[in-house]
Amino acid sequence: MAKRKKSSLSQSQAENVLADFFLNEEDRFVSFKQLKKKFGNRFQKGDLYEAVHGLVEIGFLEERGNQFRHASVKEEVPEVKKREDVLEGVLDVTQRGHAYVISDQSKADVWVERRNLANAMDGDVVKVLLTRRKSSKPEGKVIEVVRRAKETYVGVVRIYADQVFVSPDAKTIDIDFFIKEGKKHNIENGSKVVIRLTRWDRGMEFPEAEITEVLGKAGAHETEMRSILVENGFRLQFPERVLRQAEELSGNIGEKEIAGRKDFRDTLTFTIDPVDAQDFDDAISFKQLEDGWYEVGVHIADVSHYIQPGSPLDKEAFARATSVYLVDRCVPMLPEKLSNGICSLSAGSDKLCFSAVFEMDENAEIKKKWFGKTIICSKRRFTYEEAQQVLEGEVNEAEFTEPLKILNRIAKELRKKRFKNGSIDFESVEVKFNLDALGTTLGVYLKERKDSNMLIEDFMLLANRAVCEFAGKKKTKSVPFVYRVHDVPDPAKLEEFAELAAMFGYKLNLSTPRHTAHSINKLMQQVKGKPEAYMLETLAIRTMAKAVYSSKNIGHYGLAFEYYTHFTSPIRRYPDLMVHRILERVLNNEKVNEPNLEARCLHASDMERKAAEAERTSIKLKQVEFMQQSIGKVFDGVISGVAEFGLFVITKDSFCEGLVRLNTIKSDYYIFEARKHSVVGGNTRRRYRLGDEVKVKLIDANADRRTIDFELIENDGAN
């Protein structure tokens, strides 16, 4: 059976030993005194006690007085008489150790108790035998692991006597791995390592693994950042053959190559990027035309010129699918020679691009469009802050000031039209950190989006949409294409969000998708600067479906675009590189053949999700480390979530979220009211609800678990 992760190996071993013991005892009740007598010399009293009650908690043992026995399944497991009794699906393990099997063969997910997981782990493809199917909640037991979700894990070395174990970081894996030849590694207790699963047959007490890499001492900044990457499936280094191929590439541009491209080197061109950016995917060019129109070029690094399909570089880029941005670093999709060198649109150098060029007026009406290969030379590298100073009139940048202001006016017109058509204006909050040279968090702050950010964003949106319309609207032939799609939100989730907003006095009109978008935009404006702003903005985003890559176009609900793709970041996103290759063939009237396109889109979406999870994890870790300096300090906060076990609170000054457990509130016992997103005191009727401002005291910040625990500072003003 699977075991919950414990603070000591002794507790984990005790659970296994006790499980085997009770399975052989059939229906006999055994007292704790008898267990202590039998196993007291083998385990400490505290570990034995925790193991017994842990098995009771998960339903493996039933308790009568101070006696225990195996809680055998009441319903007899049927024999496999027909194929319908066995389903195949993906195992989704909860943090409490139970699981669901998600299968196309069942309308409802199949519930599996942790004692019936056999040797399966989170994400594995399994076969499950149904033990109860005639209900809205089918139940089953795992009978076979068809395919492992992963073989590589990250964890901390725990050495007991002459045995080496690794306790995995993943919260959904609650069993230690046994390192069969652990002693030969000469490794220190508490080291963080990468392991590979080598064997876990049914009936084995522990899965066996081998150590493949030592990351460093657990808790050290560099160790933890590296472990987050590995845990989410990203490689720490490029293979040697990939680096060799990158080194062989030259940034020299021959006259023959220039002759085949449109030359923009004499056109005013610049980049606007974050202050810490090293790879520059995109540049903007500007020219005032004689008829009063403006020519605006969106120039994108021509990565496809350097990376040939099927090459080692291409295969590695596809495997990674995206660059990953943690709090202190970027882990690039391409080797540095390409991402920061040859392909990067750095100022003062001739660079090859794939461009979308628009002739337009100041009202953002597009008169002409052109797509094709170009050569540019950026005249200036702006940071967002520098460009903003120009837009606000604080700095005069000679030849750039007037073009920047005109571009900003056009961008605002594009934005206004987009919102009028139903695009949703999500002001997503970005948490940033001030770190010292050792990676220690000195401060936390929110990054503010200003006109310079949105100027670039609006022109990138324009280019992405225009490219997709050009390729996707071809009527004469069907062109396989990579779309960036965003489905309409789940009506039930929208209704729930509308109820939440109503609690704060905001009304949403959900009658049509366009009315919904306009209502959410209005809400986003109304909540600015209010205590509930962060919480409602975050919940609004969570209400939406996730944007993904697909070969099947369903449009982009959030942007209100019928056609949309990703074209503007091929240095850091593989789907953009795929789009460049397809677009080039369409422009050359060549046949487009893209085998397994949907599977490749699914892979890109999956890696994007993992990169986002890695980023969130790194943010949470740095927030926990920052809060460790403030144990005992009182914070002003806002309740950001309500659950049956506690209140989630975000601090106002450091934007760190932690948990107030209900059983730590001394004045009363509290009852969870899900529909009202609140808890209410059983005696006092005092209520705490989502969005309430509260004071909390920091009592723990655990970097290993990446958790923050608060204690509520009660006052008589709560309603």
Side-chain angles (χ1 to χ4, degrees):
M1 60 165 286
K3 303 178 295 302
R4 293 170 306 153
K5 215 180 293 183
K6 298 292 184 179
S7 59
S8 76
L9 177 63
S10 181
Q11 292 173 19
S12 297
Q13 289 176 326
E15 281 196 4
N16 270 290
V17 171
L18 287 171
D20 291 339
F21 171 76
F22 279 105
L23 285 170
N24 292 323
E25 289 298 316
E26 298 180 344
D27 292 335
R28 185 169 75 91
F29 276 99
V30 180
S31 69
F32 184 77
K33 186 176 180 180
Q34 290 172 302
L35 293 173
K36 184 182 174 185
K37 184 176 180 180
K38 184 173 181 63
F39 299 109
N41 293 330
R42 188 167 178 182
F43 303 106
Q44 296 178 13
K45 179 182 176 181
D47 291 339
L48 189 62
Y49 178 86
E50 290 293 332
V52 170
H53 287 279
L55 293 173
V56 171
E57 180 186 336
I58 65 172
F60 184 84
L61 295 181
E62 60 177 294
E63 183 177 8
R64 187 179 67 186
N66 196 33
Q67 294 185 317
F68 309 88
R69 74 173 178 181
H70 177 223
S72 56
V73 179
K74 301 296 185 290
E75 186 175 356
E76 196 171 306
V77 178
E79 294 180 17
V80 184
K81 294 180 179 178
K82 50 187 178 181
R83 294 175 63 183
E84 289 80 3
D85 287 337
V86 176
L87 304 179
E88 186 173 305
V90 177
L91 195 70
D92 182 12
V93 179
T94 70
Q95 287 195 18
R96 293 187 65 83
H98 305 296
Y100 292 92
V101 173
I102 304 165
S103 173
D104 294 337
Q105 300 164 278
S106 175
K107 291 182 180 179
D109 296 341
V110 180
W111 171 255
V112 182
E113 289 188 13
R114 59 188 293 168
R115 61 176 173 160
N116 290 326
L117 289 176
N119 58 340
M121 291 186 284
D122 186 47
D124 289 350
V125 177
V126 299
K127 286 184 179 179
V128 59
L129 173 65
L130 294 176
T131 57
R132 180 182 298 170
R133 59 183 305 144
K134 292 183 179 179
S135 70
S136 59
K137 186 180 176 182
E139 298 178 18
K141 62 186 300 184
V142 173
I143 59 173
E144 181 184 344
V145 176
V146 178
R147 186 172 63 254
R148 292 285 182 196
K150 55 191 293 189
E151 291 186 344
T152 300
Y153 302 89
V154 175
V156 178
V157 171
R158 307 293 186 200
I159 301 176
Y160 303 93
D162 60 345
Q163 293 185 318
V164 178
F165 291 82
V166 170
S167 181
D169 285 355
K171 293 179 180 179
T172 54
I173 301 175
D174 57 359
I175 192 165
D176 295 319
F177 290 75
F178 175 59
I179 309 302
K180 192 173 182 180
E181 298 183 356
K183 289 185 70 177
K184 76 175 186 180
H185 290 281
N186 193 27
I187 195 167
E188 291 184 11
N189 198 21
S191 298
K192 185 156 284 192
V193 297
V194 182
I195 57 173
R196 185 178 70 84
L197 177 65
T198 56
R199 184 184 175 204
W200 194 13
D201 300 334
R202 291 179 71 93
M204 288 178 61
E205 185 175 2
F206 295 102
E208 292 181 358
E210 62 180 6
I211 295 173
T212 60
E213 187 173 359
V214 179
L215 298 175
K217 184 173 177 57
H221 172 78
E222 185 64 22
T223 300
E224 296 304 323
M225 291 297 112
R226 286 160 59 87
S227 70
I228 288 169
L229 291 166
V230 175
E231 186 61 33
N232 284 281
F234 293 97
R235 302 176 186 178
L236 299 177
Q237 278 103 25
F238 287 94
E240 194 60 39
R241 66 184 185 283
V242 173
L243 293 174
R244 278 200 306 270
Q245 188 180 23
E247 285 303 315
E248 291 168 1
L249 294 173
S250 171
N252 295 329
I253 303 171
E255 290 301 320
K256 184 178 179 182
E257 184 62 42
I258 294 172
R261 294 173 177 261
K262 195 167 185 176
D263 197 335
F264 278 81
R265 287 178 293 180
D266 292 332
T267 303
L268 185 69
T269 305
F270 51 87
T271 61
I272 307 178
D273 289 281
V275 66
D276 55 354
Q278 294 180 332
D279 55 338
F280 308 112
D281 277 291
D282 55 86
I284 299 286
S285 70
F286 177 85
K287 181 191 293 184
Q288 188 148 0
L289 304 176
E290 293 180 358
D291 52 13
W293 295 352
Y294 305 104
E295 179 192 86
V296 180
V298 179
H299 305 285
I300 309 302
D302 189 5
V303 177
S304 62
H305 175 79
Y306 297 99
I307 299 183
Q308 301 308 306
S311 66
L313 271 169
D314 183 54
K315 290 178 180 178
E316 181 69 13
F318 171 72
R320 292 173 179 247
T322 180
S323 296
V324 189
Y325 295 87
L326 304 186
V327 294
D328 68 332
R329 71 192 66 195
C330 167
V331 181
M333 181 181 79
L334 301 174
E336 191 172 322
K337 182 169 182 181
L338 286 163
S339 62
N340 295 3
I342 292 174
C343 295
S344 186
L345 307 183
S346 49
S349 302
D350 291 354
K351 297 289 182 176
L352 301 181
C353 288
F354 210 149
S355 304
V357 183
F358 306 92
E359 291 187 17
M360 55 205 310
D361 62 21
E362 203 163 276
N363 295 318
E365 291 294 330
I366 297 171
K367 311 299 184 181
K368 291 182 182 179
K369 289 181 278 191
W370 179 87
F371 308 101
K373 296 291 186 90
T374 60
I375 182 169
I376 72 163
C377 182
S378 173
K379 305 296 189 294
R380 171 78 156 86
R381 183 255 164 133
F382 283 98
T383 66
Y384 283 124
E385 292 76 13
E386 290 170 340
Q388 189 63 35
Q389 287 179 326
V390 174
L391 294 176
E392 292 177 357
E394 295 178 16
V395 174
N396 183 13
E397 276 275 356
E399 60 181 325
F400 296 100
T401 295
E402 190 59 23
L404 271 172
K405 290 184 175 180
I406 293 172
L407 287 168
N408 193 39
R409 289 198 293 270
I410 295 173
K412 287 182 176 180
E413 287 297 321
L414 288 169
R415 206 175 310 144
K416 186 164 70 175
K417 291 178 181 181
R418 180 159 54 85
F419 293 150
K420 185 178 179 181
N421 290 333
S423 180
I424 300 176
D425 182 19
F426 283 126
E427 286 282 348
S428 57
V429 175
E430 188 177 358
V431 178
K432 304 291 283 185
F433 298 85
N434 290 320
L435 305 177
D436 67 12
L438 298 176
T440 304
T441 308
L442 303 177
V444 186
Y445 63 96
L446 292 186
K447 185 177 179 181
E448 188 179 358
R449 287 171 72 239
K450 294 189 175 182
D451 281 355
S452 58
N453 302 78
M454 293 183 280
L455 182 160
I456 292 298
E457 181 180 300
D458 281 302
F459 281 108
M460 296 307 117
L461 291 174
L462 173 63
N464 286 332
R465 183 181 60 173
V467 163
C468 193
E469 286 176 343
F470 176 76
K473 280 187 174 180
K474 293 286 183 183
K475 302 297 182 185
T476 54
K477 55 184 177 180
S478 176
V479 177
F481 201 68
V482 178
Y483 298 94
R484 181 66 169 177
V485 299
H486 185 228
D487 207 349
V488 296
D490 184 310
K493 287 185 177 180
L494 271 179
E495 287 287 351
E496 185 178 350
F497 179 68
E499 289 178 13
L500 267 171
M503 290 169 54
F504 298 95
Y506 306 108
K507 188 174 181 180
L508 294 181
N509 181 350
L510 307 181
S511 58
T512 68
R514 181 167 289 192
H515 280 122
T516 299
H518 287 315
S519 288
I520 292 176
N521 284 343
K522 184 178 178 181
L523 171 64
M524 294 299 105
Q525 291 299 316
Q526 290 175 323
V527 301
K528 279 186 177 178
K530 296 184 179 177
E532 64 269 19
Y534 182 89
M535 182 266 299
L536 284 175
E537 289 165 0
T538 303
L539 290 176
I541 292 172
R542 290 177 185 170
T543 300
M544 297 293 116
K546 300 293 184 187
V548 296
Y549 298 105
S550 177
S551 61
K552 304 174 182 66
N553 186 30
I554 61 169
H556 197 294
Y557 171 76
L559 293 172
F561 290 164
E562 183 181 358
Y563 291 90
Y564 189 65
T565 190
H566 273 171
F567 164 78
T568 54
S569 295
I571 289 178
R572 62 185 180 89
R573 296 188 304 225
Y574 192 82
D576 301 56
L577 177 56
M578 295 164 66
V579 167
H580 280 219
R581 289 169 175 166
I582 294 171
L583 181 60
E584 182 175 10
R585 275 170 276 174
V586 170
L587 289 169
N588 293 335
N589 292 312
E590 298 173 1
K591 184 178 180 180
V592 179
N593 182 27
E594 291 289 332
N596 304 315
L597 186 59
E598 184 62 17
R600 292 155 71 196
C601 287
L602 286 171
H603 169 72
S605 298
D606 183 50
M607 295 306 288
E608 178 187 49
R609 179 187 59 77
K610 290 178 178 179
E613 179 61 29
E615 181 181 5
R616 282 193 296 269
T617 303
S618 73
I619 289 171
K620 184 66 177 180
L621 177 62
K622 289 288 117 180
Q623 287 177 321
V624 172
E625 289 180 357
F626 178 67
M627 294 296 276
Q628 285 177 331
Q629 308 164 32
S630 303
I631 301 295
K633 183 179 175 181
V634 174
F635 294 87
D636 290 319
V638 176
I639 296 176
S640 56
V642 183
E644 59 184 346
F645 51 83
L647 307 172
F648 291 95
V649 176
I650 292 180
T651 59
K652 286 185 177 182
D653 59 349
S654 55
F655 320 106
C656 298
E657 186 176 61
L659 176 65
V660 175
R661 298 185 183 277
L662 293 186
N663 60 14
T664 66
I665 305 177
K666 305 290 194 300
S667 63
D668 201 353
Y669 68 94
Y670 280 82
I671 302 164
F672 175 53
E673 295 186 346
R675 294 290 296 176
K676 295 182 179 180
H677 302 277
S678 63
V679 296
V680 61
N683 295 320
T684 62
R685 308 311 296 169
R686 176 180 290 177
R687 184 180 298 277
Y688 293 101
R689 66 172 187 168
L690 198 66
D692 280 353
E693 295 185 64
V694 293
K695 285 187 180 292
V696 290
K697 180 179 179 181
L698 179 63
I699 58 175
D700 188 35
N702 189 302
D704 288 339
R705 298 197 305 267
R706 295 165 191 151
T707 57
I708 295 170
D709 290 307
F710 291 127
E711 182 180 274
L712 189 67
I713 304 298
E714 300 182 77
N715 61 71
D716 296 332
N719 53 14

